[in-house]
Every structure is written in structure tokens, then in C-alpha cells.
Amino acid sequence: MGLAARARLSPGVEGEDYDLVHCNHFFLMPVARRLARDRAPILLDTHDLQARQFALINERMPWLRPRVSYEDMLAQEVEAMRGADLLLHLNALEAEEFRALLPQKRHALLYPPTPPAPTGPGGPDIVIVSSNNTANVESLIWFLREVVPRAPGVKVKIAGSVAEGVRARAGALYAAHRDWFLGRVEDPGAIYARARLALLPTVGGTGLSIKTVEAMSSGLPLIATPQALRGMDAEALSLPGVTVAESAEAFAAALIQAAAAPHPSDSTRASSAARAYYESRFSLAAYRTGLETLAEATLSAAF
């Protein structure tokens, strides 16, 4: 925030008269308030609770003592948000927390737009797409250790940089499944395009899972842990074609059953409940409609 407060803006930007300011992070609220001039309303994207994100980072670096406590960071974050007229929350769990922290403010849930994955042409693959972060690595290790031995004969393709993390954290486990790992891929969408089933064996992490949104957009049948659907509304837990497994045993049983099922057609994937859920909440069209509606309501209340 200090850098934003001292930022020099071009005369053309700072001299403009704005009706509405959309700020994409509380770090930039000093700039937003300068542009609003105590007249234009401010919409603020809250993202995840940033104080928590910094606290999690600090936990992974025990050799560096944080100079600021979680409570101090949270207080700074909340204070900056008081200057916004409407807080836009990007997932359902964080929306509840921010409403409790700032009950006097206006709040709205507006999921971020996520590019869709292809819904075909389909293929024989059972896939996991995942990047290399702590929660993803822990989740994949859990899947390989706890689920895979309970689903003999099933083979999975694992795409993404998560391979590097698994190799570093669980070398023997990585070596035992070396031929499953594709490593980094240029186009994750192509992985979904050639698949028949997507797996989301998530056991950690915070905020909305973008890889879950991408998998939903592909229209593939999904097997997911409840944690994979975090940040979404209750409907996500009961979508046809999405099997929610709360244990390794349940995940393995669902995997064996799904592996024996017929491959879904392009049309089945395009019209699936998961794809419809994605379109209604996470598509660019849904985001634009939601943002326009909220902006119009905020302008009407201000003027």
C-alpha cells in the first residue's frame, strides 16, 4: 500500500473525472481513492483474505520470523476496505468472512471469469491437471499413497508442474509412477480435450480452486473431494456427473466405477450439469453481466 500511496500517475489519468472506480486489490486503494476524489463510488475486489495468505507463506519459511502479526495485517486489510462502497468477493467462503469482518459495508459474491476448457473431441485418458504448490503436491501425494493402491489396474495421466514438487517431496512415490507424469504442458486445455474423466483429489489449499473450475468447464465426469469444491455454493456438491468422495476408500471406489463407464460424447460434455454450472458462474459472460448489474446499482445508490 505504501508504494501505491506514493505512486505517480500520468496527468491524463489523474486529471480525469470518473463516475466509478473499480479497484482490483486493496493494496491499490490509495490510488483508487485519489481517482474517486471522495465523489465516485469504489468497487473493490477482495480476492482471498490476504492476511491469511501471508501467514501461510510465513509458516512455510520458519527460518524467517515475520515482523508483522496476522492480526496486524488483518487490521490493515480491513481498514483499507472501509474506503470502498461495494466489496466484490471472489468465492463464497471468503464472502462470509468479509461480511462478518465488515458488517456495515455492502457485499456481493462475484466469481472471477475463467477461460473454458474444450468439451471434446474426447479420448481414453483419466487426467489430473495440477501446478506445483504446497497444497497441490500434498494432495497428489495423498492420491498416490492412499487412493491408487485401492484402485488396481487404473492408470492416470498427471499433467502440470506438480511433478516437480512430488519428485522433491516423495521421490520413491514419484519414481513408482514416473510414466504417469507428463510434466509441464503448453496447453492444459488439450489434456481435458482428450480425456474421459477428470480427478480432483484435493486435500489442502485455501480460496477458490481454479483447476476445479477448469475441470468443470470441460464437461467431463469428475471425481472430487469436498475440499476441491471449496469456495463454491452448495449446488456444486450435488451436480450430476460430479462424484464427491470424502475418503480415500470412497474416491477409489468411484474411480474404479467411472473407469469402467462409457466415454462421454462431445454433446454430453457440452450439455453437462458441470458445464452449465461453469457457464452460469465462471464464464466471462456471467462475470460481465454480474459486474454491470452491480455497477449500475452502485451508481444509482450514489447519485
Side-chain angles (χ1 to χ4, degrees):
M1 285 183 63
L3 291 174
R6 294 189 293 271
R8 296 181 62 183
L9 307 179
S10 70
V13 169
E14 194 145 19
E16 189 64 61
D17 190 21
Y18 298 97
D19 295 317
L20 181 74
V21 177
H22 184 185
C23 182
N24 73 347
H25 204 291
F26 87 89
F27 290 161
L28 299 176
M29 276 298 289
V31 173
R33 298 186 78 161
R34 280 163 59 185
L35 298 179
R37 298 177 185 171
D38 294 323
R39 187 189 70 83
I42 298 174
L43 309 184
L44 173 62
D45 295 335
T46 60
H47 300 277
D48 299 327
L49 198 62
Q50 294 299 292
R52 178 183 295 138
Q53 297 304 308
F54 279 104
L56 291 171
I57 292 171
N58 289 335
E59 287 178 3
R60 295 194 291 270
M61 295 190 298
W63 59 91
L64 287 175
R65 287 188 61 187
R67 300 186 64 180
V68 181
S69 69
Y70 168 80
E71 290 74 19
D72 289 340
M73 290 189 289
L74 179 61
Q76 184 180 23
E77 186 172 354
V78 169
E79 184 58 33
M81 291 178 177
R82 296 187 196 280
D85 295 88
L86 175 63
L87 299 176
L88 302 177
H89 308 302
L90 308 188
N91 77 72
L93 293 177
E94 300 286 354
E96 293 179 7
E97 293 191 82
F98 280 116
R99 286 188 175 100
L101 288 167
L102 292 156
Q104 73 281 12
K105 303 303 296 185
R106 293 176 58 228
H107 301 260
L109 176 60
L110 183 65
Y111 291 115
T114 303
T119 57
D125 299 337
I126 299 172
V127 302
I128 296 174
V129 179
S130 190
S131 59
N132 184 15
N133 64 49
T134 299
N136 288 345
V137 171
E138 291 174 350
S139 296
L140 194 51
I141 290 173
W142 173 82
F143 173 75
L144 294 175
R145 281 182 177 161
E146 304 297 333
V147 177
V148 171
R150 294 178 167 93
V154 176
K155 292 187 177 181
V156 178
K157 288 190 175 182
I158 303 169
S161 59
V162 71
E164 301 164 13
V166 175
R167 180 167 51 192
R169 288 274 306 277
L173 196 63
Y174 173 85
H177 300 87
R178 176 64 185 86
D179 59 335
W180 288 18
F181 287 92
L182 305 179
R184 294 176 182 268
V185 293
E186 291 295 325
D187 180 15
I191 301 299
Y192 291 115
R194 297 189 296 268
R196 63 188 175 102
L197 174 67
L199 308 180
L200 296 161
T202 305
V203 296
T206 61
L208 185 72
S209 174
I210 297 301
K211 64 177 177 291
T212 298
V213 177
E214 291 172 344
M216 284 182 160
S217 74
S218 73
L220 286 167
L222 307 177
I223 303 174
T225 60
Q227 183 70 6
L229 302 171
R230 66 184 186 270
M232 299 184 183
D233 56 39
E235 185 179 340
L237 295 168
S238 58
L239 289 171
V242 178
T243 301
V244 180
E246 298 188 5
S247 67
E249 293 83 359
F251 204 106
L255 177 54
I256 291 170
Q257 182 177 2
H263 298 191
S265 66
D266 294 11
S267 60
T268 298
R269 288 173 62 174
S271 61
S272 70
R275 177 74 180 202
Y277 183 88
Y278 160 83
E279 292 284 1
S280 66
R281 291 161 175 80
F282 298 103
S283 66
L284 181 58
Y287 179 80
R288 283 175 171 165
T289 299
L291 185 60
E292 288 174 1
T293 300
L294 292 168
E296 289 174 0
T298 300
L299 285 168
S300 297
F303 300 108

